[in-house]
Amino acid sequence: AMLEPDRGLSLTIARVVQRLQGSSLHSQLERQARVSLHKPEIKLESLKEDIKDFLKTSGWEKKLQNAVYSELNVFPSPCHPAAPPEHIKEPLAYMRKAQGSWEKRILKSLNSMCAELNIPLAQKRPVNEQKELLNKWNEMGTDEPDLSLFRPVYAPKDFLEVLMNLRNPNYENGEQPSFRNHLGLIQVPLKVKDIPELKEDFSELDLNIGQLGIDDSAQVPPEFFENEHVRVGQKVLAEQDSAAAQQYVRQGCPTALRADLWALILNISNQPEDILYYEQLKSNVIQHDLLVDSLIYKDVKLTASNDDYYFVFEDYLYQVLLCFSRDTSVLEHFTYSSATPPKSYIRGKLGMEEYAVFYPPNGVIPFHGFSMYVAPLCFLYHEPSKLYQIFREMYVRFFFRLHSISSHPSGIVSLCLLFETLLQTHLPQLFYHLREIGAQPLRISFKWMVRAFSGYLATDQLLLLWDRILGYNSLEILAVLAAAVFAFRAVNLMEVTSLAAAEAVLADLSTLKVMPLLQIFLFATVT
C-alpha cells in the first residue's frame, strides 16, 4: 500500500529522527551546542539562529545531513502505518515462506554437523587458548587446524536449486500471459526493467559521458577526463557531502580517492568509539569459540587463500569475519531483510523462548564464498577497524540481498530474472541454443552474481563495478554485467554443445573490462 506523499514524508522524518536520537552523533551535537554557548558570537537574543549558524560553519550540519542521507539509503520507504512488520521484511507471503523453509534447511545442516562432529555451537575458550589466539591474532593464517570434517553449510549452487523451485501459488502454470514465454530457470512473476528503463537509470554510463575504466573514448582524451575528474573528486571530498559523493562515483573513482569516497558514501568515519567497539568484538572472539569460526576459517582457506589477488589478505579476512560473526548490531538489518536470524536454545531448554539466543550472534551463517565479500575491500583499507566498518556497512546495505529470497529489485531472485530476461530478449538465438544443449545461462552466471563478481574479475575492474553499486545504491548492474559477458562471448558460445564447454568459454573473466562491456550492452544494443 503506497501512501500519499505527505503522509509518507512525515513517517520517514519521524523514523529518521527516532533512529538518530539514540546515536552518538546526537550526543556529539548536543555537546557542540553546549560548547558554543561560551563563544562570543553567540548572542542570547538570537540564540537559536546563532547556534544553527555555528553548527553550519563548524561542519556539524554536514555530518547530520550525511547521517540522514545514510538512513534514507538503507531503510525502505515506510509502508502504510497499518502494514504488519513482516511486510517491511518482504511483501509477498510466498517469498517469506520460501525464505523460512530455506533457513530451516541451513539450520538443520548446521545442527547435524554439530552432532556428527560432537562439537557445541559455542563454548568458552580455555585461558591458555585465549592467550595463544591473542598472540597470533595478526597471523592466524599460519595455523593449519584439521578442518577436513567441516563442510560449508551450503554453496551457491544449492541456493540456485531452491530459487529454481520457487512458484507463486496464485498462478497456475501458464496463467500469466506475459510470463508464459519466460523460458529461464526462474519461474516467478516479478517485474524487472527492460533496456530502455535501465538506460534511463544508468544514464551516467552513456557512451558520450566520460568514465573511468574506458581507455579510448572517442569524445574526450581519457587523461583529460581523468585529471578533471580527480579535481572534482577532491572537491567532493573537501565538501564532505555523502549525496554528492554518491553521484560522483557513478563515473568511477580515481584510485587514490576511492577509499575516502566510499567511506563518505557509507558515512563511516572511524571515531574513537567505533575503534573501541571493534576491540570489544575482538575480545569476544578471543574469549568464545563458535562453530562458525571453523566455517569461516575453512571458507577463507578454500577461496581467498587460493586467489592470486587476495591470498596476501588472509589474516585480515579472519579478523574481520570472526568479529563480524559476534556483532549484534548487524541484527538491525533483519528489520528490512526477508531473512530472520536463526535461534539456538541453551542445552536442555529447546523451544523455551527465554532460553533462546541468536546464533551466530550477528544472525548470519556464512556460506561457501562468503569471505569474498571482504577480500576486495582489503585493497582499500589497511586499518582493521575501518576495514571492518566498511564491510559491515556494505553487507547491511547490499550483500545480504545476494543470499536471501525476496522480491526486492536488488534481491538475488530479481537479479536472476533480470539476467535471463535480458538474454532471452536481446540474444534470443544464444539463449535458445544454450537452453537446448542443457547449458541454461543462469547455471553459469549465478555464482558471479551471488559473489558480486568478487574473485571472478580482476580487482581494478571489480572496484570499478562496485563504484557503480555504491553510486546507484543498487545491485541491478550485476545482472546487466552478467548478460553483457554472455553477449561479449556469444560467438564462441554459439559453437559449444555442452554445459561443460560453455563453462570453459566463461571460466576466466580476469581479462574483461567492465565499463566497455556495460556501455556496449546498454547503449549499443538495438532495442
Side-chain angles (χ1 to χ4, degrees), residues 167-181:
R167 295 290 179 276
N168 179 344
N170 304 336
Y171 289 114
E172 276 311 303
N173 267 352
E175 246 183 54
Q176 8 165 179
S178 62
F179 201 72
R180 194 178 317 148
N181 329 336

PDB file of all heavy atoms in Angstrom, residues 167-181:
ATOM      1  N   ARG A 167       7.666 -20.867  -6.765  1.00  0.00           N
ATOM      2  CA  ARG A 167       6.468 -20.638  -7.586  1.00  0.00           C
ATOM      3  C   ARG A 167       5.539 -19.712  -6.826  1.00  0.00           C
ATOM      4  O   ARG A 167       5.453 -19.793  -5.602  1.00  0.00           O
ATOM      5  CB  ARG A 167       5.706 -21.949  -7.848  1.00  0.00           C
ATOM      6  CG  ARG A 167       6.446 -22.989  -8.686  1.00  0.00           C
ATOM      7  CD  ARG A 167       6.586 -22.582 -10.148  1.00  0.00           C
ATOM      8  NE  ARG A 167       7.322 -23.581 -10.916  1.00  0.00           N
ATOM      9  CZ  ARG A 167       8.654 -23.645 -10.991  1.00  0.00           C
ATOM     10  NH1 ARG A 167       9.405 -22.770 -10.338  1.00  0.00           N
ATOM     11  NH2 ARG A 167       9.244 -24.574 -11.721  1.00  0.00           N
ATOM     12  N   ASN A 168       4.817 -18.895  -7.567  1.00  0.00           N
ATOM     13  CA  ASN A 168       3.769 -18.106  -6.930  1.00  0.00           C
ATOM     14  C   ASN A 168       2.498 -18.944  -6.938  1.00  0.00           C
ATOM     15  O   ASN A 168       1.962 -19.249  -8.002  1.00  0.00           O
ATOM     16  CB  ASN A 168       3.544 -16.810  -7.713  1.00  0.00           C
ATOM     17  CG  ASN A 168       2.446 -15.969  -7.086  1.00  0.00           C
ATOM     18  OD1 ASN A 168       1.665 -16.453  -6.274  1.00  0.00           O
ATOM     19  ND2 ASN A 168       2.374 -14.709  -7.465  1.00  0.00           N
ATOM     20  N   PRO A 169       1.985 -19.311  -5.746  1.00  0.00           N
ATOM     21  CA  PRO A 169       0.836 -20.225  -5.698  1.00  0.00           C
ATOM     22  C   PRO A 169      -0.431 -19.620  -6.311  1.00  0.00           C
ATOM     23  O   PRO A 169      -1.369 -20.342  -6.622  1.00  0.00           O
ATOM     24  CB  PRO A 169       0.645 -20.468  -4.200  1.00  0.00           C
ATOM     25  CG  PRO A 169       1.311 -19.329  -3.526  1.00  0.00           C
ATOM     26  CD  PRO A 169       2.423 -18.882  -4.421  1.00  0.00           C
ATOM     27  N   ASN A 170      -0.472 -18.289  -6.483  1.00  0.00           N
ATOM     28  CA  ASN A 170      -1.673 -17.672  -7.049  1.00  0.00           C
ATOM     29  C   ASN A 170      -1.801 -17.916  -8.549  1.00  0.00           C
ATOM     30  O   ASN A 170      -2.829 -17.642  -9.143  1.00  0.00           O
ATOM     31  CB  ASN A 170      -1.682 -16.166  -6.812  1.00  0.00           C
ATOM     32  CG  ASN A 170      -1.565 -15.865  -5.338  1.00  0.00           C
ATOM     33  OD1 ASN A 170      -1.915 -16.708  -4.521  1.00  0.00           O
ATOM     34  ND2 ASN A 170      -1.049 -14.704  -4.992  1.00  0.00           N
ATOM     35  N   TYR A 171      -0.712 -18.355  -9.184  1.00  0.00           N
ATOM     36  CA  TYR A 171      -0.768 -18.595 -10.623  1.00  0.00           C
ATOM     37  C   TYR A 171      -0.660 -20.075 -10.866  1.00  0.00           C
ATOM     38  O   TYR A 171       0.320 -20.684 -10.479  1.00  0.00           O
ATOM     39  CB  TYR A 171       0.416 -17.917 -11.322  1.00  0.00           C
ATOM     40  CG  TYR A 171       0.327 -16.429 -11.368  1.00  0.00           C
ATOM     41  CD1 TYR A 171       1.241 -15.645 -10.660  1.00  0.00           C
ATOM     42  CD2 TYR A 171      -0.650 -15.793 -12.129  1.00  0.00           C
ATOM     43  CE1 TYR A 171       1.176 -14.266 -10.715  1.00  0.00           C
ATOM     44  CE2 TYR A 171      -0.711 -14.415 -12.181  1.00  0.00           C
ATOM     45  CZ  TYR A 171       0.195 -13.658 -11.471  1.00  0.00           C
ATOM     46  OH  TYR A 171       0.134 -12.301 -11.532  1.00  0.00           O
ATOM     47  N   GLU A 172      -1.639 -20.652 -11.514  1.00  0.00           N
ATOM     48  CA  GLU A 172      -1.404 -21.998 -12.016  1.00  0.00           C
ATOM     49  C   GLU A 172      -0.479 -21.789 -13.204  1.00  0.00           C
ATOM     50  O   GLU A 172      -0.571 -20.787 -13.894  1.00  0.00           O
ATOM     51  CB  GLU A 172      -2.720 -22.633 -12.455  1.00  0.00           C
ATOM     52  CG  GLU A 172      -3.472 -23.271 -11.299  1.00  0.00           C
ATOM     53  CD  GLU A 172      -2.577 -24.184 -10.447  1.00  0.00           C
ATOM     54  OE1 GLU A 172      -1.976 -25.125 -10.996  1.00  0.00           O
ATOM     55  OE2 GLU A 172      -2.483 -23.941  -9.226  1.00  0.00           O
ATOM     56  N   ASN A 173       0.402 -22.751 -13.454  1.00  0.00           N
ATOM     57  CA  ASN A 173       1.364 -22.536 -14.542  1.00  0.00           C
ATOM     58  C   ASN A 173       0.690 -22.098 -15.835  1.00  0.00           C
ATOM     59  O   ASN A 173      -0.296 -22.658 -16.242  1.00  0.00           O
ATOM     60  CB  ASN A 173       2.177 -23.794 -14.790  1.00  0.00           C
ATOM     61  CG  ASN A 173       3.447 -23.713 -13.972  1.00  0.00           C
ATOM     62  OD1 ASN A 173       3.703 -22.667 -13.384  1.00  0.00           O
ATOM     63  ND2 ASN A 173       4.224 -24.781 -13.913  1.00  0.00           N
ATOM     64  N   GLY A 174       1.267 -21.095 -16.444  1.00  0.00           N
ATOM     65  CA  GLY A 174       0.787 -20.676 -17.748  1.00  0.00           C
ATOM     66  C   GLY A 174      -0.393 -19.724 -17.696  1.00  0.00           C
ATOM     67  O   GLY A 174      -0.944 -19.358 -18.720  1.00  0.00           O
ATOM     68  N   GLU A 175      -0.783 -19.317 -16.482  1.00  0.00           N
ATOM     69  CA  GLU A 175      -1.936 -18.415 -16.420  1.00  0.00           C
ATOM     70  C   GLU A 175      -1.567 -16.979 -16.762  1.00  0.00           C
ATOM     71  O   GLU A 175      -2.364 -16.244 -17.317  1.00  0.00           O
ATOM     72  CB  GLU A 175      -2.541 -18.446 -15.023  1.00  0.00           C
ATOM     73  CG  GLU A 175      -3.930 -19.046 -15.012  1.00  0.00           C
ATOM     74  CD  GLU A 175      -4.523 -18.993 -13.623  1.00  0.00           C
ATOM     75  OE1 GLU A 175      -4.554 -17.903 -13.055  1.00  0.00           O
ATOM     76  OE2 GLU A 175      -4.929 -20.045 -13.111  1.00  0.00           O
ATOM     77  N   GLN A 176      -0.349 -16.584 -16.372  1.00  0.00           N
ATOM     78  CA  GLN A 176       0.005 -15.172 -16.589  1.00  0.00           C
ATOM     79  C   GLN A 176       0.552 -15.026 -18.002  1.00  0.00           C
ATOM     80  O   GLN A 176       1.639 -15.518 -18.281  1.00  0.00           O
ATOM     81  CB  GLN A 176       1.061 -14.756 -15.591  1.00  0.00           C
ATOM     82  CG  GLN A 176       1.496 -15.949 -14.881  1.00  0.00           C
ATOM     83  CD  GLN A 176       2.737 -15.873 -14.108  1.00  0.00           C
ATOM     84  OE1 GLN A 176       3.076 -16.827 -13.534  1.00  0.00           O
ATOM     85  NE2 GLN A 176       3.431 -14.770 -14.088  1.00  0.00           N
ATOM     86  N   PRO A 177      -0.156 -14.339 -18.838  1.00  0.00           N
ATOM     87  CA  PRO A 177       0.204 -14.317 -20.257  1.00  0.00           C
ATOM     88  C   PRO A 177       1.599 -13.754 -20.499  1.00  0.00           C
ATOM     89  O   PRO A 177       2.378 -14.318 -21.256  1.00  0.00           O
ATOM     90  CB  PRO A 177      -0.874 -13.437 -20.875  1.00  0.00           C
ATOM     91  CG  PRO A 177      -1.595 -12.788 -19.748  1.00  0.00           C
ATOM     92  CD  PRO A 177      -1.369 -13.603 -18.528  1.00  0.00           C
ATOM     93  N   SER A 178       1.953 -12.663 -19.799  1.00  0.00           N
ATOM     94  CA  SER A 178       3.226 -12.013 -20.113  1.00  0.00           C
ATOM     95  C   SER A 178       4.383 -12.918 -19.727  1.00  0.00           C
ATOM     96  O   SER A 178       5.472 -12.825 -20.254  1.00  0.00           O
ATOM     97  CB  SER A 178       3.344 -10.728 -19.323  1.00  0.00           C
ATOM     98  OG  SER A 178       3.334 -11.059 -17.942  1.00  0.00           O
ATOM     99  N   PHE A 179       4.121 -13.804 -18.778  1.00  0.00           N
ATOM    100  CA  PHE A 179       5.250 -14.532 -18.221  1.00  0.00           C
ATOM    101  C   PHE A 179       5.408 -15.906 -18.847  1.00  0.00           C
ATOM    102  O   PHE A 179       6.423 -16.535 -18.722  1.00  0.00           O
ATOM    103  CB  PHE A 179       5.038 -14.665 -16.714  1.00  0.00           C
ATOM    104  CG  PHE A 179       6.315 -14.934 -15.997  1.00  0.00           C
ATOM    105  CD1 PHE A 179       7.254 -13.919 -15.870  1.00  0.00           C
ATOM    106  CD2 PHE A 179       6.616 -16.193 -15.500  1.00  0.00           C
ATOM    107  CE1 PHE A 179       8.454 -14.159 -15.237  1.00  0.00           C
ATOM    108  CE2 PHE A 179       7.819 -16.436 -14.872  1.00  0.00           C
ATOM    109  CZ  PHE A 179       8.732 -15.410 -14.736  1.00  0.00           C
ATOM    110  N   ARG A 180       4.348 -16.328 -19.553  1.00  0.00           N
ATOM    111  CA  ARG A 180       4.350 -17.699 -20.050  1.00  0.00           C
ATOM    112  C   ARG A 180       5.557 -17.940 -20.944  1.00  0.00           C
ATOM    113  O   ARG A 180       6.077 -19.040 -21.054  1.00  0.00           O
ATOM    114  CB  ARG A 180       3.054 -17.960 -20.816  1.00  0.00           C
ATOM    115  CG  ARG A 180       2.823 -19.445 -21.058  1.00  0.00           C
ATOM    116  CD  ARG A 180       1.505 -19.682 -21.769  1.00  0.00           C
ATOM    117  NE  ARG A 180       0.455 -18.841 -21.208  1.00  0.00           N
ATOM    118  CZ  ARG A 180      -0.551 -18.370 -21.917  1.00  0.00           C
ATOM    119  NH1 ARG A 180      -0.637 -18.640 -23.213  1.00  0.00           N
ATOM    120  NH2 ARG A 180      -1.482 -17.634 -21.358  1.00  0.00           N
ATOM    121  N   ASN A 181       6.019 -16.866 -21.613  1.00  0.00           N
ATOM    122  CA  ASN A 181       7.107 -17.041 -22.576  1.00  0.00           C
ATOM    123  C   ASN A 181       8.474 -17.043 -21.911  1.00  0.00           C
ATOM    124  O   ASN A 181       9.473 -17.134 -22.586  1.00  0.00           O
ATOM    125  CB  ASN A 181       7.086 -15.913 -23.615  1.00  0.00           C
ATOM    126  CG  ASN A 181       5.674 -15.431 -23.841  1.00  0.00           C
ATOM    127  OD1 ASN A 181       4.740 -16.186 -23.593  1.00  0.00           O
ATOM    128  ND2 ASN A 181       5.505 -14.189 -24.271  1.00  0.00           N
TER     129      ASN A 181
END
